[in-house]
Amino acid sequence: MLKHFYLAAPLAAGAMVALPAALQTRLSRVLRLGAGAEIALFNGQHGLWRAQLADAKAHHAQILEQLQPQPTAQGPTLAVGLPKREAWETIVRQATELGIAALQPLTTEFSQRDKFNTARATLLTIEAAEQCERLTLPTLLPLQPLGVWLNTLNAPCAWAYERGGTAPTRAGTVLVGPEGGFSPAEVATLQAHPQVHAFSLGPTILRADTAVVAALTRVGP
């Protein structure tokens, strides 16, 4: 089984592609792969390709053949109130592994932060995709206030709420609150929204990153 690596470049049979410095280091110094070693490359658009390193320092690779066609992203969108950085990074990794199609960060009354590092989040999705061997990267949507986002919501959304119902609603969007949950005013707004359907994750109060995993394993698109 070839190890998967992400490359932000067009992939096609016969092409010679330049590998970025960080990937060169991983291949030649960490994994100690030399000229002629084979790897699998994906770019989130053109499927999975078998490639061969063209030189000892992994500066270039020759694309040989397609191993898998590009799948269609079918997972839900995860909307989540921004928690602290450690929990946020865990959420990005685990949600990518669980197959989300898009990630929508939200600011709420109890959010721990009002901004996030898009470049860092993108790197985390790439690392997670390589590890779990998915061929798509989730779309990182711009940070929005909860109220603004709700005004644009026009499709069913399953809200993981500690006092919600007993069965999940299948929906294209899964909503999880920040650390501390939503405020009473936000809860009232969510309960009144016609597209938001609450469901419970059980009798205990979960951490935000734990709640994301539990919610995504119970709700599908």
Side-chain angles (χ1 to χ4, degrees):
M1 178 68 72
L2 298 178
K3 190 169 179 60
H4 293 202
F5 297 96
Y6 176 81
L7 181 66
L11 301 176
M16 182 70 74
V17 293
L19 304 181
L23 184 52
Q24 292 174 26
T25 299
R26 290 173 63 193
L27 295 173
S28 64
R29 297 185 182 179
V30 179
L31 298 176
R32 299 186 180 279
L33 299 179
E38 293 189 353
I39 58 175
L41 295 176
F42 71 101
N43 61 5
Q45 301 176 48
H46 302 142
L48 184 68
W49 293 79
R50 184 166 65 92
Q52 187 176 63
L53 298 185
D55 55 272
K57 293 187 177 181
H59 290 160
H60 295 84
Q62 179 85 42
I63 307 300
L64 301 178
E65 63 176 340
Q66 188 178 56
L67 299 175
Q68 296 178 37
Q70 182 65 28
T72 302
Q74 296 181 334
T77 293
L78 171 65
V80 59
L82 275 180
K84 294 179 181 178
R85 186 180 69 177
E86 181 180 355
W88 169 248
E89 294 196 349
T90 299
I91 287 170
V92 174
R93 289 191 183 95
Q94 293 181 330
T96 299
E97 293 175 16
L98 290 170
I100 63 165
L103 180 59
Q104 173 63 71
L106 300 171
T107 55
T108 70
E109 290 190 37
F110 296 157
S111 291
Q112 298 296 315
R113 296 177 294 134
D114 60 2
K115 60 182 179 180
F116 76 101
N117 187 325
T118 303
R120 173 63 177 166
T122 299
L123 178 61
L124 293 173
T125 65
I126 291 172
E127 291 176 350
E130 290 178 343
Q131 187 277 324
C132 71
E133 298 188 357
R134 68 176 281 181
L135 302 184
T136 58
L137 296 181
T139 301
L140 296 175
L141 300 171
L143 180 67
Q144 292 193 69
L146 175 66
V148 173
W149 175 73
L150 284 173
N151 287 337
T152 66
L153 185 64
N154 56 12
C157 170
W159 166 31
Y161 179 45
E162 60 268 22
R163 297 176 179 81
T166 58
T169 300
R170 296 190 65 82
T173 300
V174 177
L175 173 64
V176 176
E179 294 161 320
F182 293 112
S183 71
E186 290 170 335
V187 168
T189 298
L190 290 167
Q191 290 174 328
H193 197 291
Q195 295 289 2
V196 176
H197 308 278
F199 70 98
S200 173
L201 295 176
T204 58
I205 304 300
L206 305 178
R207 287 169 48 101
D209 47 354
T210 305
V212 164
V213 173
L216 288 175
T217 56
R218 295 184 62 187
V219 179

